[in-house]
Amino acid sequence: MPEKIWEALRPYLPETASIDFTGGGEPLLHPKLADWIRDANEAGCRTGFLTNGLILNRERSLQFIQSGIDWIGFSVDGATADVYERIRKGADFKLLCQNIATISALRTGKKPLIIINYVLMPDNIRDLEKIVDLASDLGVNQINFKQCDVIRGEHGRNFGLFALKETREIRKFKKILDKARRRAKKRQIRTTAFSFVPDELPVCAQDPRDSFFVRHDGYVAPCINLAMGDETSFLGNDVKMPTVHYGRLQDKDLMELWDTANCRLYRERFQQRAQAYDAVLGNSSFEASFIKLNEAFDEAKKAMPEALEGCKVCHYLYDI
């Protein structure tokens, strides 16, 4: 991407802004990826990408390390060859592990941060401690335990382990996850995880107030989910995820798109929700009672303006 884009964008983003080169298939297939990362780093951005890791050979690994990339994430949905290759048809578990170990050995210092994205599913939920041990052996710094939350048509349907309310089975899943996270902490591996039951947030993690998503064809959207809508499932119900775009980079300058009415709408609505939520909590006494505490959070949620189209049927807004 042209360096002038970063120069134009930097004044409008916080110092922690990051550039994530994902969302259009396997990023390693693009021959200019390392050059883009170098340009973005020189412009002061934090950079990284998510990959299946199967074509990240020694030469490409060196290119990315020399580009100054901050993090590389690997999709690893199984801790053994049997489970991983059953979930990811046609993949090679041994090759993936070799490639992760190679970049771990080649890097100097703490860059790039090596991350594993592990999507929780019925086939792999009982292997969480095994993935922690594997990550430790490979030199991984962080594991993100994710829900199978993105569903389009039949793709991803019935793989999620979350539900509308807590059940006996979900309590069992939570115990498995908690045990694995404690194991990771002992091995100095950072972990993140989503909830198993919905808890509405003022702003989702993708936060359109200071970021946006650029699709492979140049269309700019509030987030990855709204970049391409379709039939989906939300907490067990069939719904339609709308497609929301601010415009296309080939037709308009980046800052023109940032200032469109639709972009302002998403930024302002999330800001209003955050302010209303914080105002209620700020005026709460927070007595030493879980009941009072939960009542305060419930009132804060009620005070928020309604979420926008698409966001109301997106698991991200409910911390799943």
Side-chain angles (χ1 to χ4, degrees):
M1 293 185 181
E3 189 170 331
K4 66 179 182 179
I5 291 180
W6 310 128
E7 293 174 351
L9 183 61
R10 288 304 302 170
Y12 296 86
L13 295 178
E15 293 181 1
T16 55
S18 63
I19 306 300
D20 183 352
F21 297 97
T22 63
E26 173 53 60
L28 296 182
L29 292 175
H30 203 293
K32 290 187 176 292
L33 182 59
D35 296 332
W36 289 355
I37 290 168
R38 184 177 291 104
D39 289 345
N41 270 323
E42 289 175 357
C45 296
R46 186 172 183 268
T47 56
F49 61 80
L50 178 64
T51 172
N52 62 32
L54 297 176
I55 57 175
L56 187 64
N57 56 29
R58 182 182 180 87
E59 180 183 356
R60 289 288 269 163
S61 295
L62 282 172
Q63 288 178 355
F64 291 122
I65 290 172
Q66 291 166 0
S67 75
I69 192 168
D70 292 287
W71 61 269
I72 298 177
F74 295 89
S75 296
V76 187
D77 300 324
T80 63
D82 177 57
V83 174
Y84 170 81
E85 292 173 7
R86 186 167 65 244
I87 292 172
R88 291 188 166 261
K89 306 295 185 182
D92 186 327
F93 182 73
K94 183 178 179 181
L95 176 60
L96 170 64
C97 291
Q98 288 174 348
N99 290 344
I100 296 175
T102 295
I103 200 162
S104 177
L106 289 174
R107 64 181 172 175
T108 57
K110 297 181 179 180
K111 288 180 61 174
L113 188 75
I114 300 176
I115 300 170
I116 281 179
N117 269 16
Y118 190 94
V119 179
L120 305 177
M121 289 178 272
D123 273 2
N124 65 17
I125 182 65
R126 288 168 179 80
D127 289 345
L128 300 196
E129 290 186 82
K130 291 181 182 178
I131 194 66
V132 169
D133 293 341
L134 178 66
S136 181
D137 291 341
L138 296 177
V140 171
N141 307 103
Q142 179 172 321
I143 304 173
N144 298 328
F145 292 109
K146 295 174 60 64
Q147 296 285 359
C148 190
D149 51 59
V150 179
I151 302 162
R152 291 294 183 272
E154 292 303 310
H155 181 74
R157 191 180 293 270
N158 299 323
F159 285 97
L161 301 182
F162 51 88
L164 187 59
K165 60 182 180 180
E166 189 167 288
T167 63
R168 181 179 179 181
E169 187 175 42
I170 283 180
R171 286 194 290 272
K172 182 167 59 177
F173 292 155
K174 289 172 69 174
K175 287 181 179 178
I176 294 172
L177 178 59
D178 289 344
K179 189 174 181 181
R181 297 188 75 180
R182 289 195 297 270
R183 191 180 190 93
K185 187 175 182 180
K186 290 180 180 178
R187 285 159 174 72
Q188 298 184 321
I189 297 174
R190 185 174 181 267
T191 60
T192 68
F194 289 95
S195 177
F196 286 94
V197 292
D199 181 20
E200 186 176 359
L201 306 173
V203 185
C204 69
Q206 299 199 32
D207 201 345
R209 293 179 301 172
D210 57 18
S211 67
F212 47 70
F213 179 84
V214 182
R215 211 169 71 171
H216 66 92
D217 53 5
Y219 280 98
V220 177
C223 66
I224 189 170
N225 267 350
L226 292 171
M228 186 173 293
D230 204 342
E231 301 297 328
T232 184
S233 173
F234 175 68
L235 292 172
N237 296 315
D238 291 333
V239 296
K240 178 70 178 276
M241 175 66 70
T243 299
V244 179
H245 293 155
Y246 302 150
R248 192 165 178 256
L249 277 179
Q250 289 89 328
D251 303 325
K252 290 186 177 181
D253 180 82
L254 192 65
M255 297 318 302
E256 288 184 82
L257 299 178
W258 185 253
D259 199 40
T260 58
N262 218 12
C263 185
R264 290 199 304 272
L265 174 63
Y266 275 82
R267 297 205 310 266
E268 290 168 2
R269 179 59 59 88
F270 275 112
Q271 184 62 19
Q272 291 164 359
R273 285 171 60 86
Q275 288 175 342
Y277 185 89
D278 291 343
V280 171
L281 292 185
N283 291 323
S284 299
S285 61
F286 287 107
E287 299 176 27
S289 163
F290 283 115
I291 295 176
K292 292 292 184 181
L293 185 62
N294 288 332
E295 287 177 353
F297 281 114
D298 287 341
E299 289 302 315
K301 292 173 187 175
K302 292 176 183 177
M304 296 188 296
E306 188 177 23
L308 289 166
E309 183 185 12
C311 300
K312 290 186 288 188
V313 292
C314 180
H315 293 118
Y316 287 164
L317 189 62
Y318 297 83
D319 196 32
I320 292 174

